[in-house]
């Protein structure tokens, strides 16, 4: 079913459940006659938040019903029974059924990919194998603005080895207030600590700014200095083209609930370069050979692939949801999706720069299209964010924010289109102008109060 051409992807919008504006406003799941409605309640919302949580594929409901029916009618035999009228693999093979399609998305050999656990758990498992500090090499380099979970993970891994994070955790801070990390700046930090660093861990796409890092260059540069290189691909997988095998990445991990649309907290994935299949790891029975797994011999026989890093049997419900999403990805290519994504973010950028409120915000995501994914991060002038968010929510425009003054806007090429981008900019433009006007009024009132207070004190 996969398409291998480079033509623009077909419109998959109809394969996703897009909430209506009324859906978002209600505090119930279904419309009730006694709840007031607005004229636009039945209009689809403008959902530009796939960088936080992807929309629900329509296939998920069908596939989950098949999973539930299998459980209801087969019980434990669902692990091994091939069901003729189901799209799903027997539960024993549910993870294997996902690996080839996942490997295609991240540009890896199937043997180098495992679908398992969740993002931070996978990073911990990978660090347990790859972070082996010595007296000479004991540092871990990561970005200073890393997602908190990554920071906590690295800090606790260092402490687990009895080391001091203050001495062993090297944070790459952005050189300017934009938050962007120029590649040369990253390389300079690597050079500064090359002889004492064991692992470099960076994001493929930075969550705050939306910057797409130069993964192949950074990987090669660090490895040439004896450093193992891992990547957190939470915001990169399903968003930008990846070639983990060709780039010789050592290890990587990702989630599936953002651009991969598998649902909140859904099952994660990891990549282990085939040259590392024999590394020591934390072991679990799902990583042991299938041929002997049920012999109960307590003799671990690791599967000679990334699958050998698995622990427990995966959640079939989560895997089923991911199967539904991957069946959409199979109908296109990452190259085609990337072309549409660049078109959407390009149009978004142009419209923002042409808007009446352009003086009230700036785009902090790199202007170079090669250095960004589907997300544009917009920094508002101080004091505008809360008012803007209220207006966006009221108008059914879904984005997310990062305090104190940044919103993240991400047109996902699978289900967003140019009309979504235009609609967002119209609402955002009006919201910014309204917030600025409200701020001026509040400023005048505050100034008046201050003057009156001063006069009163002088009289007294």
């Amino acid at each position: 079913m996969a398409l291998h051409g480079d033509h623009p992807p077909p419109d998959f919008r109809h394969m996703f459940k897009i909430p209506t504006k009324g859906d978002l406003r209600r505090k119930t799941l279904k419309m009730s006659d006694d709840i007031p409605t607005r004229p636009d309640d039945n209009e689809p919302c403008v959902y530009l938040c796939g960088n936080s949580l992807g929309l629900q594929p329509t296939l998920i409901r069908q596939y989950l019903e098949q999973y539930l029916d299998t459980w209801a009618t087969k019980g434990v035999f669902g692990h091994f029974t091939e069901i003729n009228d189901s799209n799903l693999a027997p539960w024993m093979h549910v993870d294997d059924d996902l690996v080839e399609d996942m490997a295609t998305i991240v540009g890896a050999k199937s043997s180098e990919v495992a679908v398992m656990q969740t993002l931070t758990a996978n990073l911990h498992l990978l660090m347990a194998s790859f972070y082996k500090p010595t007296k000479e090499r004991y540092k871990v380099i990561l970005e200073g603005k890393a997602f908190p979970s990554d920071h906590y993970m690295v800090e606790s891994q260092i402490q687990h080895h009895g080391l001091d994070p203050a001495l062993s955790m090297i944070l790459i801070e952005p050189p300017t207030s934009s938050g962007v990390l120029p590649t040369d700046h990253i390389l300079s930090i690597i050079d500064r600590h090359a002889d004492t660093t064991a692992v470099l861990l960076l994001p493929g796409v930075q969550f705050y700014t939306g910057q797409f890092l130069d993964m192949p260059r950074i990987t090669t540069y660090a490895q040439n200095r004896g450093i193992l290189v891992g990547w957190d691909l939470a915001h990169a997988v399903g968003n930008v083209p990846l070639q983990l095998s060709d780039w010789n990445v050592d290890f990587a991990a990702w989630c599936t609930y953002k651009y991969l649309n598998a649902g909140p907290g859904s099952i994660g994935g990891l990549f282990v370069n085939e040259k590392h299949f024999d590394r020591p790891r934390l072991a679990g029975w799902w990583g042991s050979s299938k041929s002997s797994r049920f012999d109960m011999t307590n003799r671990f026989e690791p599967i000679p692939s990334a699958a050998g890093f698995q622990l427990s049997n995966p959640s079939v419900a989560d895997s089923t949801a991911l199967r539904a999403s991957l069946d959409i990805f199979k109908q296109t290519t990452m190259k085609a999706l990337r072309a549409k994504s660049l078109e959407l973010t390009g149009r978004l950028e142009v419209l923002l720069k042409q808007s009446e409120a352009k003086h009230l915000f700036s785009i902090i995501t790199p202007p170079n299209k090669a250095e960004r994914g589907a997300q544009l991060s917009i920094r508002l002038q101080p004091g505008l964010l809360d008012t803007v968010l209220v207006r966006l929510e009221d108008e059914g425009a879904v984005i997310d924010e990062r305090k104190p003054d940044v919103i993240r806007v991400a047109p996902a090429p699978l289900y967003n289109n140019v009309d979504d981008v235009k609609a967002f900019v119209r609402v955002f433009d009006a919201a910014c102008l309204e917030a600025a006007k409200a701020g001026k009024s509040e400023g005048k009132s505050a100034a008046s109060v201050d003057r009156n207070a001063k006069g009163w004190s002088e009289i007294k």
Side-chain angles (χ1 to χ4, degrees), residues 67-304:
Y67 153 66
L68 292 173
D69 287 345
T70 299
W71 185 11
T73 62
K74 306 301 177 185
V76 71
F77 295 123
H79 284 91
F80 312 103
T81 305
E82 294 278 355
I83 310 294
N84 293 334
D85 56 350
S86 173
N87 300 82
L88 309 177
W91 302 337
M92 175 73 172
H93 309 296
V94 67
D95 52 321
D96 292 336
D97 182 60
L98 302 169
V99 164
E100 183 176 352
D101 295 326
M102 185 65 80
T104 298
I105 290 174
V106 300
K109 299 175 183 177
S110 296
S111 61
E112 296 176 314
V113 171
V115 176
M116 56 183 280
Q117 307 295 328
T118 52
L119 174 58
T120 305
N122 284 337
L123 286 172
H124 270 298
L125 292 170
L126 289 166
M127 286 290 282
S129 290
F130 285 87
Y131 180 51
K132 302 293 184 182
T134 65
K135 184 177 180 180
E136 293 76 23
R137 289 185 178 270
Y138 55 92
K139 294 178 182 176
V140 179
I141 299 177
L142 70 160
E143 53 157 338
K145 305 299 181 185
F147 195 81
S149 189
D150 285 16
H151 187 103
Y152 304 154
M153 183 277 298
V154 170
E155 189 172 48
S156 63
Q157 284 283 334
I158 290 171
Q159 291 170 333
H160 182 74
H161 287 278
L163 300 175
D164 183 357
L167 301 175
S168 302
M169 188 163 65
I170 305 303
L171 304 179
I172 306 176
E173 299 292 351
T176 67
S177 61
S178 71
V180 171
L181 294 171
T183 300
D184 287 342
H185 178 62
I186 295 173
L187 302 186
S188 71
I189 302 299
I190 293 173
D191 278 338
R192 193 179 307 168
H193 300 275
D195 294 339
T196 52
T197 296
V199 173
L200 170 71
L201 179 68
L202 291 174
V205 173
Q206 211 281 336
F207 83 97
Y208 185 77
T209 65
Q211 178 188 1
F212 181 18
L213 273 62
D214 191 341
M215 293 177 59
R217 184 181 174 195
I218 294 169
T219 297
T220 300
Y221 195 88
Q223 288 175 338
N224 286 343
R225 284 147 183 81
I227 300 170
L228 292 168
V229 180
W231 293 92
D232 178 342
L233 302 178
H235 285 265
V237 67
N239 176 11
V240 293
L242 301 168
Q243 296 296 329
L244 300 185
S245 293
D246 289 348
W247 297 342
N248 197 35
V249 167
D250 290 303
F251 67 92
W254 56 89
C255 57
T256 62
Y257 44 81
K258 301 180 188 295
Y259 297 99
L260 290 184
N261 316 300
S266 191
I267 196 165
L270 62 73
F271 165 89
V272 177
N273 193 300
E274 61 183 0
K275 65 186 178 183
H276 295 300
F277 285 170
D278 61 349
R279 291 187 75 87
R281 84 289 306 273
L282 297 177
W285 87 309
W286 212 255
S288 191
S289 172
K290 280 190 176 183
S291 62
S292 61
R293 183 178 294 167
F294 290 90
D295 291 346
M296 306 301 174
T297 62
N298 288 339
R299 185 173 61 253
F300 183 64
E301 300 177 14
I303 301 171

Side-chain angles (χ1 to χ4, degrees), residues 311-327:
L311 299 182
S312 304
N313 52 319
S315 163
V316 178
D318 284 353
S319 301
T320 297
L322 180 56
R323 175 72 273 159
S325 180
L326 293 179
D327 279 351

Side-chain angles (χ1 to χ4, degrees), residues 346-383:
R347 183 69 67 90
L348 175 60
E349 181 182 27
V350 168
L351 291 175
L352 287 170
K353 290 181 176 180
Q354 293 175 346
S355 70
E356 187 177 349
K358 60 181 178 291
H359 61 290
L360 297 174
F361 61 83
S362 60
I363 300 172
I364 62 174
T365 305
N368 181 355
K369 293 182 178 181
E371 296 180 1
R372 67 192 190 197
Q375 171 184 317
L376 292 187
S377 295
I378 303 169
R379 176 172 288 155
L380 301 170
Q381 285 189 359

